[in-house]
Amino acid sequence: MENYTITMARGFGSGGKEIASRVAKDMGIHCYENRILTLAAQMSGIDRQLFEEVNEKLHENKRNGLINMLNALPRRTHPEPERRTFISDEQLFAYETQIIQELANTESCIIVGKCADWILKDNQRTLSLYIEAPRSFCRPRIMKKMGVTAETADISITETDKYRAEYYTYYTKGNYWTNPVNYDLTLNSERLGIDRCVELVEYTLHSKFPDIPLPEKKTGVQENTEESNVD
């Protein structure tokens, strides 16, 4: 079976990362988000010649190189809202782009955020998704996970979604984050529920790529994932 990539864009608090983590667990593949930024930041901060030497080693042994490097980095276990003004960093984004493209060529995986749907828009083995939900659904999820007031949760959602929208528009040269034509599937996690969203993502993946089997149905309570179950 050929490698495939699922990209997941999501509103803050909509549960997109939880959906991505659960699909990854069901499919037996890795889920990447903050670790891509961490590795890209490390790469952009080292000498160019040293980076080229590291990159050459990655090309010689992609699977054991890039994947091991990413999986050695810490995962984000709680939602972290963006409270800063968006400032472009072309070099950092160039490294993120390279990492995402290498991952798509190396293994089946899920990539959350980072304009991955746009970066991989010409990759025929990509399923791109967008998860959103009303503020009334996202607010209590953020309040519970972050231990904050409703007012603080609202500010976090507004600022984070604004940052993500500006990030997407800048690096896609004018496209917009919530544009439905960017994605194969857009889901409202409040109306459908997290469980149904997981099922629909897996069914859509199988529908688009019939060679990818549906995971076996599991019974019992869904275990908590290592990634944040809110964002």
Side-chain angles (χ1 to χ4, degrees), residues 178-227:
T178 57
N179 185 354
V181 301
N182 294 340
Y183 308 103
D184 296 292
L185 184 67
T186 299
L187 298 174
N188 183 325
S189 53
E190 179 194 46
R191 291 188 178 185
L192 294 167
I194 300 297
D195 290 345
R196 182 66 65 187
C197 285
V198 171
E199 293 177 359
L200 285 170
V201 170
E202 293 169 357
Y203 178 79
T204 304
L205 178 67
H206 173 69
S207 296
K208 186 172 183 179
F209 307 117
D211 61 305
I212 302 173
L214 286 168
E216 294 183 6
K217 292 294 182 181
K218 299 178 179 61
T219 59
V221 179
Q222 175 69 35
E223 297 178 4
N224 290 331
T225 60
E226 294 182 46
E227 299 278 356

Side-chain angles (χ1 to χ4, degrees), residues 24-80:
K25 183 176 181 180
D26 287 350
M27 302 303 297
I29 59 179
H30 290 125
C31 180
Y32 299 109
E33 191 252 342
N34 63 296
R35 289 174 290 175
I36 292 176
L37 174 60
T38 302
L39 181 57
Q42 291 177 359
M43 288 179 167
S44 66
I46 64 177
D47 179 79
R48 182 70 188 181
Q49 183 177 353
L50 178 59
F51 171 74
E52 292 298 342
E53 293 174 0
V54 172
N55 189 48
E56 184 177 349
K57 291 179 181 179
L58 292 181
H59 278 283
E60 290 174 355
N61 195 353
K62 291 180 182 178
R63 187 166 190 83
N64 292 329
L66 178 61
I67 295 172
N68 287 344
M69 289 172 69
L70 283 168
N71 288 321
L73 295 172
R75 290 185 174 187
R76 180 182 296 168
T77 57
H78 60 281
E80 294 183 8

